[in-house]
Amino acid sequence: MREEQEVNGAIDRYADTVRRLCMVHLKNREDTEDIFQNVFLKYALSSVDFQSAEHEKAWIIRVTINACRDLLRSFFRSRTVPMEESSSLAALEPETRDVLEVVLALPEKYKNVIYLHYYEGYPAAEIGRILGKNTNTVYTLLDRGRKLLKEKLGGEEVGE
Amino acid sequence: MENKLRSAFDAVQAEEGVKAGTKDFLHQRLYAGRSKTRAVPKRLAACFVAVFLCVSGYFSYFTPVAAVSIDINPSLELAVNRFDRVIDVTGYNADGQALAEELSLRHMYYEDAVNAVTENEMVAACLAAGEVLEITVAGKSETRTAEMERCLSACNHVTEEQIHCADHWNDLKSAHQAGLSLGKYRAYLEAREENPELTLEEVQDMTMRELHELSECSDKETYGQGAGWGQQTGGVGQGGHGGTKGHGKHHQE
């Protein structure tokens, strides 16, 4: 089990990353808090010996995505949850909010690759390792996700 | 568009409340109780160490490493531990047992115990009546024996000539098997050299003065005390005992 100080340090480093992934997948603050506790509890109890900061971050991202997926699939979770996420977006700039709403509207399979590629900067191969997908599959998802964003955001080119 | 995506996601940050709540959750779940559970092994280890120290300390305290035999007519033996404390007092005749019961010598430093004996009224009366005091020391080490001999020579009413050292620590066992204190047993052996017929039973009630006289005297008549002791025959001379008279020091190997 990791020391409390180490875990708190990880929370400070990766809280924003986890929050963004929660925003991509979840709908309310309560679920976000659950994911936070779940992810960092696993971190604290994990015996993985991280080779680098990048290795550690990739692990956090993978665990967060899996935790979100598990939460969404949970039999006991109510599907009729208040759309609190909309209110958090409302606090953002209109242009920012519009872009995020477009991303959130994408089918689930494209959200992760778009976020990991265009925000976190991971190459397709790394995204494949994080998500447990074939690199070519990632390329395909990126390509299709990019096209959807292009359609939604009014035809502007999205860099590769 | 890529820049817009990056800027949009940059604006999404974890709320401080969520971070703090997560830290608190983990603290309660993992670390608040962990400090107690960590303390348990430490406390347990501390308990074991304390018990071990107590047990080893107990055995160390109550293990004799030396003996001091005080013989006049009261025949008394003090068992001494490594801390120079008296851990046991044994009287080897009726007077010795009475003296042991009268004096609370346990846990005293052995010099203080010897002083308590020599200053006792009964003992003082014996010495005033011409009885002989002898102190015999036996230690597990030669160093300890020599040190104790030095310390005892400074005790009240004690002279260097009255202090003897046993040859071996095992002499103590032999003395006890014979039913005698160390000092009386040593005196018995010396007396027997000149008086081969001398028996342990006869020696039991003899005073140290009488034993000395047996060792020294070669042509005296029967003593009034001592059951079964008949006429002195020739051959009980001083020569054989001269070496041990007074400061009978026998160093251990």
Side-chain angles (χ1 to χ4, degrees), chain B residues 33-48:
Chain B
R34 187 188 183 201
S35 62
K36 291 177 190 174
T37 55
R38 254 194 182 171
V40 169
K42 280 186 182 176
R43 286 177 194 164
L44 203 60
C47 281
F48 277 122

Side-chain angles (χ1 to χ4, degrees), chain A residues 2 4 20 95 119 153, chain B residues 1 4 9-10 27 31:
Chain A
R2 300 180 199 279
E4 186 173 11
R20 293 181 194 113
E95 191 175 355
Y119 184 75
L153 291 173
Chain B
M1 179 54 63
K4 281 186 178 180
F9 279 115
D10 271 340
H27 178 79
Y31 302 110

Side-chain angles (χ1 to χ4, degrees), chain B residues 77 92 170-183 185:
Chain B
E77 194 174 282
Y92 279 90
N170 289 336
D171 291 348
L172 194 68
K173 187 178 178 182
S174 303
H176 294 171
Q177 286 175 343
L180 299 175
S181 69
L182 177 66
Y185 184 70

Side-chain angles (χ1 to χ4, degrees), chain A residues 9-56:
Chain A
I11 292 173
D12 291 332
R13 285 194 302 277
Y14 303 116
D16 292 342
T17 300
V18 174
R19 182 65 182 91
R20 293 181 194 113
L21 286 167
C22 288
M23 184 208 70
V24 168
H25 292 285
L26 306 177
K27 302 293 184 185
N28 62 69
R29 181 189 174 91
E30 213 172 76
D31 287 347
T32 298
E33 290 177 357
D34 285 346
I35 294 300
F36 260 80
Q37 293 174 6
N38 196 333
V39 168
F40 289 106
L41 179 62
K42 287 182 179 177
Y43 176 84
L45 298 176
S46 168
S47 59
V48 174
D49 183 22
F50 298 114
Q51 305 301 313
S52 63
E54 289 73 26
H55 181 199
E56 186 181 52

Side-chain angles (χ1 to χ4, degrees), chain B residues 6-146:
Chain B
R6 191 164 287 119
S7 298
F9 279 115
D10 271 340
V12 179
Q13 294 179 345
E15 296 85 350
E16 288 303 317
V18 174
K19 287 162 61 175
T22 303
K23 290 177 181 178
D24 186 60
F25 164 77
L26 291 174
H27 178 79
Q28 296 298 326
R29 177 80 174 261
L30 298 176
Y31 302 110
R34 187 188 183 201
S35 62
K36 291 177 190 174
T37 55
R38 254 194 182 171
V40 169
K42 280 186 182 176
R43 286 177 194 164
L44 203 60
C47 281
F48 277 122
V49 169
V51 168
F52 174 77
L53 288 175
C54 286
V55 170
S56 63
Y58 175 89
F59 283 111
S60 182
Y61 186 88
F62 287 103
T63 300
V65 298
V68 177
S69 181
I70 307 170
D71 301 280
I72 311 161
N73 181 38
S75 195
L76 201 65
E77 194 174 282
L78 313 176
V80 180
N81 66 12
R82 64 174 60 253
F83 307 110
D84 295 332
R85 299 273 186 173
V86 175
I87 55 175
D88 196 23
V89 183
T90 307
Y92 279 90
N93 54 16
D95 287 345
Q97 289 162 6
L99 191 59
E101 288 172 12
E102 183 180 333
L103 299 174
S104 299
L105 302 177
R106 276 204 175 87
H107 311 302
M108 294 175 74
Y109 284 111
Y110 67 86
E111 307 104 293
D112 295 337
V114 169
N115 284 334
V117 170
T118 58
E119 291 172 359
N120 176 264
E121 282 185 14
M122 180 174 73
V123 170
C126 287
L127 295 177
E131 296 296 337
V132 172
L133 164 70
E134 284 198 355
I135 296 177
T136 309
V137 180
K140 283 190 174 179
S141 72
E142 185 178 340
T143 307
R144 178 174 292 279
T145 304

